[in-house]
Amino acid sequence: MLSATLFGQECEHLIWHDEFRGNALDTDKWDFDIGTGNNGWGNNELQYYTNSNQNVLVEDGLLKIRALNQSFGGSNYTSSRIVTRGKFAFSSGRIEAKMKLPSGQGIWPAFWMLPEEWKYGIWPSSGEIDIVELLGQEPNKVYGTLHYGPYYPNNQMTGANYTIGSPNFADDFHVFSLEWTESIMKWSVDGVEYNSISKNDINWEFWPFNQDMHMLLNVAVGGNWPGPPNGSTTFPAEMQVEYIRVFQTLSELIIDGRETVIEGAATSYKVAPLSSTTFNWTVPAGASILSGQGSNEISVLWGNQGGTIEVETDKCCCMQIASRQVEVKEMNCEANILNANGDDELYWIRKDGDFDENIVVPNPNSVNNSSLCHRYTRNPGAQYDVLNFVTELIDNAAQFESGTLLFELDVYTAASPGTEILIQLEEHEAALGSFPAGRHSVYKAVTQQQNQWHSLVFSYDWSPDTTTPDNAINHLLFLFAPNSNNNSQFYIDNFRVRDTTCN
């Protein structure tokens, strides 16, 4: 372990490692993904992942993952994919691995990371970090990449590659590193930085890499990117790993929690639970710490203004301060959370139809005389057409059920008066399961006028899953004209939350 230095200087600690010194994989640190996944793990890959010691073993101080040309479970190839999911996840640090990567047409080794909780939605909206990937037909080139953005096919990626001479990545061991802080990622090979991506570099509204993620190691066979193996491919194709180490400095700690809240909300903020560390939190004026002072996680009650949350950490005489800016949306009886004129606090990640943002308002009137609005066109092939947003603003959904808080929306549509629009609040990870899991509550309004801007007030309809906690909402869905098959258009603006207790 590296030694500590004092008072604000770098103070790096080894927080997790595997040196692969035993004679079997350490199942206190690793688990297995088994099978072929959905559609070849989403990439049309050809292998069946097993936990067999033919495919994954530890010997001679090395982890070895082997892709074999053998039939199993309906696949013509086997390999292994190991994960730290449920055993170790983290949200910042320096990851370092010494590896030799296999070569051959159609061979695809990777060391990468996925979210532990998928807090912003399914892939890729919650993010994917590829520490190193290699296409076996190019054994002297590796890739470092971030995946993010809305759901497929609107997903996005940013990355770079690094090419080496002799010996290539299949002929010798090389050290692959990722430095991960709150706002930037840096990739290196043997100490040479070749890729750097910051928050400002990605073409998306928010940066999902502020949450705990776990590590994965695998050797895939085939898939959309490398293509299938051919007669030149040699099996077994073996990835060898000498060590993986994760370091963290106190200066790299990320405060995990909501960046935008509504006045009066109570929300939690946390940093990694480092051992032998003291935590001293401060919050902006008007906010108060409800619980957790002295620990790695606090609950904060917000007043009517935002500011900076800070935590001073002290570990082994090394002191640092981590901070996070939080914006408070003042109610003032209502808070506008989605409009086309600069107040969007929702981020769309999935749409069955077409969502056109920031277009000219048709026929403005006294209800909506803004210059811009959004337009949604239903997909007639989707009976329950969905427009899905990530949200951090709903800290207590019970207030909407009781009618203390109401959703309101300005709408312009050619659809017949009486057309239903639903709002559904979800805890997304649970909602990945079958209906009604994770669907907290549904709110309904019906259009009143045709081809004229008018305001709708949504009233509580029902609770599909009463076990979803009131404070777990992270997705908000619109269902326009549900249980129908048409291509109606809905212009929307000024989606807001109103407090009915205001005078």
Side-chain angles (χ1 to χ4, degrees), residues 106-234:
I107 302 301
W108 183 7
F111 177 36
W112 50 305
M113 302 185 72
L114 286 174
E116 190 76 353
E117 297 183 1
W118 299 90
K119 64 188 290 185
Y120 300 118
I122 61 173
W123 190 91
S125 59
S126 288
E128 173 186 325
I129 304 171
D130 296 326
I131 302 171
V132 58
E133 293 180 284
L134 178 142
L135 300 181
Q137 58 266 40
E138 300 177 334
N140 65 337
K141 182 187 292 186
V142 291
Y143 298 80
T145 311
L146 296 181
H147 295 266
Y148 54 92
Y151 294 171
Y152 177 86
N154 299 292
N155 52 298
Q156 300 183 37
M157 58 182 285
T158 303
N161 60 70
Y162 179 80
T163 302
I164 199 170
S166 181
N168 63 33
F169 297 111
D171 291 337
D172 202 358
F173 285 88
H174 296 271
V175 176
F176 304 95
S177 301
L178 174 75
E179 295 182 35
W180 173 15
T181 69
E182 183 176 11
S183 59
I184 195 168
M185 305 272 188
K186 296 180 180 180
W187 287 256
S188 300
V189 175
D190 298 327
V192 178
E193 182 182 316
Y194 73 94
N195 188 18
S196 177
I197 304 174
S198 72
K199 280 184 177 182
N200 296 329
D201 295 329
I202 72 170
N203 184 29
W204 181 237
E205 286 95 335
F206 67 95
W207 173 264
F209 306 103
N210 58 0
Q211 59 179 312
D212 284 349
M213 305 185 83
H214 61 265
M215 298 180 290
L216 303 91
L217 278 168
N218 67 286
V219 179
V221 180
N224 299 329
W225 192 23
N230 59 25
S232 70
T233 308
T234 300

Side-chain angles (χ1 to χ4, degrees), residues 383-458:
Q383 184 177 1
Y384 289 93
D385 181 287
V386 167
L387 175 60
N388 188 345
F389 290 90
V390 171
T391 179
E392 292 189 326
L393 292 175
I394 300 171
D395 64 289
N396 184 5
Q399 294 176 296
F400 292 91
E401 282 188 288
S402 68
T404 302
L405 298 180
L406 295 175
F407 292 115
E408 298 182 343
L409 177 70
D410 294 342
V411 175
Y412 178 102
T413 181
S416 301
T419 298
E420 279 190 1
I421 301 176
L422 302 181
I423 293 170
Q424 183 168 288
L425 302 183
E426 291 187 353
E427 193 281 297
H428 180 73
E429 188 173 14
L432 294 176
S434 300
F435 187 89
R439 285 77 167 179
H440 177 278
S441 49
V442 177
Y443 305 83
K444 181 170 69 174
V446 296
T447 61
Q448 304 295 321
Q449 300 176 26
Q450 202 170 18
N451 296 323
Q452 186 170 332
W453 282 102
H454 58 291
S455 293
L456 301 184
V457 179
F458 291 79

Side-chain angles (χ1 to χ4, degrees), residues 36 45-49 55 67-79 221-222 228-229 235:
T36 58
E45 298 166 24
L46 303 176
Q47 78 290 326
Y48 191 105
Y49 284 133
N55 296 116
L68 302 174
N69 186 357
Q70 65 174 183
S71 297
F72 186 83
S75 299
N76 293 324
Y77 306 92
T78 62
S79 186
V221 180
F235 290 93

